[in-house]
Amino acid sequence: WREFFSTAFTRTREAHDFAMAEPTVGVCWTRNMVTFALDKPGFGLVPHEWGELHTSVATLLLSGEVGVGSCVFTEAPRHVVDRAMRLWTAKRPGLQAAHSAPHYGVEGVPSGSLFDFVLPTSDARSLLAGAAEAIGEGGQVSAMLTKLESANFRNKSSLATKLLSRTGRLANLAAAPFNVTLFLDDDPFFCP
C-alpha cells in the first residue's frame, strides 16, 4: 500500500501552473463522474448533478470571508462548469452577486466564474490499476470493478462507481492549489 499512496499522491501543486501571489487559503470540492457532452446543446448537463455544489460555492463567496479561494476538481472543463453554475444561478437569483465576487491573488479567472480554479480530477481507475500492478495483482482491479458493478449503492449507482468516486476524491487531496485547503462535500451551506 505504500507504493499505492506514493503513486496516487505524486500530483503536487507544482504540476499545475498556478499564479498565486502569496500564501493562500481556499476551499475545494470534487464534482467527479458528472455527465456532459461538448457536442450537445447546453453541453448535455444534468442539472441535479450541480445544484448542491452551486449553493455551496455561491454561499461561500457571499459569506464575506475575504481572501478565501475556491476550486473544484472535475472532468468537465471550466466553460462547462461555469455554464452549470449560471444555470443554477438563474434558478436562485438571490445568489447572483456571487458571480461578481473577487478572486484573490489569482490571475486569468474568467469574469463571472465562481471558481478560482477548475482542476482535472484524479483518474481513479488508473490509480487503482497502478497500485495493483505495483504489488503484483495487475488483473485484480478489473475483476473487482466488474463484480462491484452488479452491486447497487443506495439504488443510485453501483459500488464500483462509488469506489472510483471516493478514490478519486482522496487522490485530489494531494493536488490542492492552496497552501491551506478545506475540502468539502457538495452540500455545505455558508452563512453570512
Side-chain angles (χ1 to χ4, degrees):
W1 289 105
R2 184 173 299 163
E3 182 90 18
F4 167 74
F5 285 110
S6 71
T7 301
F9 297 114
T10 54
R11 293 187 325 149
T12 63
R13 254 180 264 131
E14 293 78 47
H16 303 288
D17 184 19
F18 298 131
M20 303 307 293
E22 57 189 51
T24 56
V25 175
V27 177
C28 289
W29 294 263
T30 295
R31 186 71 228 129
N32 58 356
M33 303 184 134
V34 293
T35 305
F36 72 97
L38 297 176
D39 60 340
K40 289 187 178 179
F43 304 119
L45 292 169
V46 177
H48 77 269
E49 293 179 343
W50 299 94
E52 290 179 337
L53 176 63
H54 173 264
T55 299
S56 193
V57 69
T59 57
L60 168 69
L61 295 173
L62 295 173
S63 70
E65 293 297 327
V66 176
V68 176
S70 61
C71 81
V72 63
F73 289 89
T74 184
E75 298 90 354
R78 178 183 284 279
H79 67 281
V80 173
V81 173
D82 288 347
R83 167 83 178 203
M85 296 299 104
R86 285 187 190 95
L87 288 172
W88 276 100
T89 298
K91 295 179 181 186
R92 300 171 177 152
L95 299 177
Q96 176 64 41
H99 289 276
S100 302
H103 296 277
Y104 299 97
V106 181
E107 297 174 10
V109 176
S111 177
S113 182
L114 297 183
F115 294 99
D116 295 310
F117 300 106
V118 176
L119 303 172
T121 194
S122 300
D123 182 354
R125 190 177 297 270
S126 294
L127 291 172
L128 289 173
E133 189 69 35
I135 60 171
E137 300 291 333
Q140 298 301 317
V141 170
S142 293
M144 175 187 66
L145 291 174
T146 299
K147 286 182 183 179
L148 291 176
E149 281 295 335
S150 63
N152 285 333
F153 180 79
R154 296 184 187 163
N155 295 324
K156 293 182 180 180
S157 64
S158 71
L159 285 177
T161 300
K162 187 55 76 175
L163 172 67
L164 292 170
S165 172
R166 295 309 181 244
T167 301
R169 286 173 183 249
L170 287 171
N172 290 342
L173 295 174
F178 307 109
N179 298 104
V180 177
T181 306
L182 173 63
F183 276 85
L184 294 176
D185 202 359
D186 293 359
D187 57 2
F189 180 91
F190 291 88
C191 297

